[in-house]
Amino acid sequence: MSKISEIEAYILGREITSAQWASLMVLVKVTTSDGKVGWGETVSALRAEAVINFVKKINKVLKGSDVFNVEKNRLEWYKHDFNLTISLESTTALSAVDIASWDIIGKELGAPLYKLLGGKTRDKILVYANGWYQNCVTPEDFAEKAKEVIKKGYKALKFDPFGSNFTYITKRGLDLAEKRVRAVREAVGDDVDILIEHHGRFNVDSAIAIAKRLEKYNPLFMEEPVHPEDIEGLKKYRLNTGLKIALGERIINKNQALYFMKEGLVDYLQIDLYRIGGVTESKKVVSIAEAFDVLMAFHNAQGPILNAVTLHMDAYIPNFLIQESFYDWFPQWKKDLIYDGTPIENGYAIIPEKPGIGIDVNEKMIDELKVKGEEYFNPEEPVWVVKGTWKD
Ligand SMILES: O=C(O)[C@H](O)[C@@H](O)[C@H](O)[C@H](O)CO
Ligand SMILES: [Mg+2]
């Protein structure tokens, strides 16, 4: 039996790049009694230290457990934690341990993760670019950077054109957002999909005004148009607009996901393996989504291990729309950490084929990348924006 002998977690980072949250990652290492190692990764947005503490608690609960028993191990933590399904810190810590466990399981069985999940429904993964618009302020800035994205072969790109507008969008803010979107649409042409990111920061009347102004540019979807807890607003948005709604990156349990689908409030579900419980829980949500004809567009905005494991989910699921990718805009150390193991080719990601998650971690880099002290914080710009875009 492959018993879990040690679960470790480190905050890794170097310089602040495309955004603060993208400049850190929490790396989780699971080691078994027979020396097998699995890698997981989880959230860092202002919670890195808290998540590390939860991983230490999970280590206490799961040490000695069989790494293959992913359901039992989850239930064991659920039994002890009492708040697993309502605590982001707890669910992200467990998610990383779950991802690392599946990495070991694949290595033990000599199979890439997608083969354990359901094989290949697609041979490569259509991706959309994010992170490409760092420091873009004017419409010309956005157009110029968008052209570079298309030159790399991407067929879709996402961006947040709303600057520092929050809750209520001003007329000036709406005019400038439209100019930015129009500039991108003109730069990329009609055959490339543009996806609008709101970062869940508007009241519903602003979100509806935005939809009415931007629908002529035919966005593939409108992501998190209203504040994430504003269910009544989302219902009103659904009644007043015809655009597709994408959401889910903040969902931390399958019951929340079910609610949005049961109420018809989501077209494209963006759960993230690092928030909802890793591979084990994501598999369940994918099946619920399939039953509601909801397509998957996994959120994937952290680091290279999370990116790789998400590609295995994309490989097998029947209800796939498109995959988010920051890969080409990762700080170099994130690519070097996995020997640049999951490159994007002409707008598609290649599915890793080696056993487990299918990437190798450059362990020699870990010590040098360990962040000492407090996470970086910039009071001028929220942690979740692409750096240098909280401007009008
Ligand atoms: O859709 C996305 O990729 C996310 O909204 C990112 O833009 C966030 O900034 C990040 O997830 C914060 O942790
Ligand atoms: Mg988002």
Side-chain angles (χ1 to χ4, degrees):
M1 172 169 98
S2 290
K3 282 186 175 186
I4 294 175
S5 62
E6 188 74 41
I7 303 174
E8 303 156 81
Y10 317 104
I11 306 175
L12 305 185
R14 188 174 284 163
E15 72 289 354
I16 299 303
T17 55
S18 73
Q20 300 159 52
W21 49 266
S23 308
L24 286 175
M25 65 182 270
V26 172
L27 178 69
V28 169
K29 179 180 181 182
V30 174
T31 308
T32 62
S33 46
D34 50 7
K36 276 275 184 315
V37 168
W39 299 99
E41 180 191 332
T42 185
V43 74
S44 61
L46 302 183
R47 285 169 173 75
E49 293 96 340
V51 169
I52 297 271
N53 286 331
F54 269 94
V55 173
K56 289 176 183 161
K57 299 289 190 300
I58 294 174
N59 183 42
K60 283 197 168 66
V61 170
L62 295 183
K63 192 174 267 196
S65 307
D66 184 340
V67 73
F68 274 76
N69 295 342
V70 287
E71 283 286 358
K72 182 181 176 192
N73 294 343
R74 179 188 183 281
L75 286 170
E76 189 61 17
W77 175 242
Y78 179 86
K79 183 176 77 182
H80 282 277
D81 173 34
F82 194 74
N83 288 305
L84 171 62
T85 57
I86 57 172
S87 156
L88 176 62
E89 291 76 3
S90 179
T91 60
T92 57
L94 180 74
S95 299
V97 174
D98 182 81
I99 290 165
S101 300
W102 279 95
D103 191 23
I104 293 171
I105 293 165
K107 287 168 178 171
E108 289 266 3
L109 300 177
L113 180 54
Y114 73 83
K115 283 192 177 168
L116 306 181
L117 298 173
K120 278 184 181 174
T121 310
R122 52 200 58 78
D123 292 322
K124 55 185 182 176
I125 308 300
L126 175 66
V127 294
Y128 69 80
N130 197 351
W132 55 271
Y133 56 105
Q134 185 174 332
N135 300 319
C136 284
V137 179
T138 68
E140 294 72 26
D141 295 339
F142 278 87
E144 190 188 324
K145 287 283 180 77
K147 283 184 186 136
E148 290 172 17
V149 174
I150 303 315
K151 258 194 226 117
K152 285 174 176 282
Y154 284 88
K155 281 78 177 152
L157 69 174
K158 180 167 88 176
F159 59 109
D160 176 334
F162 305 112
S164 62
N165 286 272
F166 195 82
T167 297
Y168 171 77
I169 191 163
T170 61
K171 181 180 179 315
R172 183 176 178 282
L174 189 49
D175 290 347
L176 184 49
E178 178 177 10
K179 287 187 185 118
R180 288 165 172 162
V181 172
R182 181 169 59 233
V184 170
R185 175 50 80 202
E186 287 169 358
V188 303
D190 292 337
D191 296 337
V192 170
D193 277 318
I194 60 174
L195 294 59
I196 303 297
E197 167 72 271
H198 303 63
H199 279 117
R201 64 145 155 335
F202 290 115
N203 65 27
V204 65
D205 290 343
S206 292
I208 291 169
I210 288 166
K212 294 198 180 321
R213 187 72 83 86
L214 299 185
E215 62 190 349
K216 58 176 141 333
Y217 302 103
N218 191 25
L220 176 65
F221 60 58
M222 304 296 266
E223 179 169 332
E224 290 197 313
V226 297
H227 287 301
E229 69 282 3
D230 182 9
I231 301 297
E232 293 313 310
L234 195 57
K235 289 177 181 173
K236 187 175 171 189
Y237 184 88
R238 180 60 109 188
L239 288 174
N240 287 275
T241 71
L243 295 173
K244 297 295 184 191
I245 299 172
L247 56 80
E249 67 180 85
R250 303 186 218 218
I251 289 176
I252 61 174
N253 65 60
K254 51 184 172 294
N255 311 72
Q256 285 176 357
L258 172 63
Y259 177 83
F260 283 105
M261 292 189 266
K262 197 162 60 66
E263 296 297 314
L265 297 175
V266 59
D267 299 292
Y268 306 134
L269 189 62
Q270 299 176 302
I271 58 166
D272 196 310
L273 276 73
Y274 79 68
R275 280 194 174 105
I276 198 157
V279 174
T280 304
E281 286 299 281
S282 301
K283 287 190 311 111
K284 300 171 190 172
V285 176
V286 164
S287 299
I288 297 170
E290 187 188 3
F292 282 95
D293 284 337
V294 165
L295 299 181
M296 300 304 298
F298 285 102
H299 176 259
N300 172 33
Q302 253 35 59
I305 291 162
L306 187 77
N307 176 65
V309 67
T310 307
L311 296 177
H312 286 275
M313 296 295 292
D314 294 329
Y316 93 91
I317 62 174
N319 48 336
F320 173 81
L321 176 75
I322 194 166
Q323 177 55 54
E324 176 174 43
S325 182
F326 281 82
Y327 195 78
D328 279 339
W329 291 274
F330 271 171
Q332 191 55 42
W333 64 266
K334 282 190 178 179
K335 293 181 187 176
D336 294 346
L337 186 62
I338 60 157
Y339 302 98
D340 197 4
T342 53
I344 306 283
E345 292 168 10
N346 198 28
Y348 287 85
I350 307 306
I351 303 159
E353 290 292 349
K354 287 190 264 184
I357 295 176
I359 45 148
D360 299 313
V361 169
N362 182 345
E363 294 198 54
K364 291 192 295 299
M365 289 184 69
I366 293 177
D367 276 342
E368 174 243 326
L369 283 171
K370 280 179 186 170
V371 169
K372 288 126 188 105
E374 284 279 299
E375 276 184 60
Y376 170 88
F377 177 70
N378 170 4
E380 303 306 315
E381 187 167 71
V383 69
W384 39 267
V385 301
V386 170
K387 199 171 150 203
T389 60
W390 188 253
K391 291 199 178 77
D392 296 316

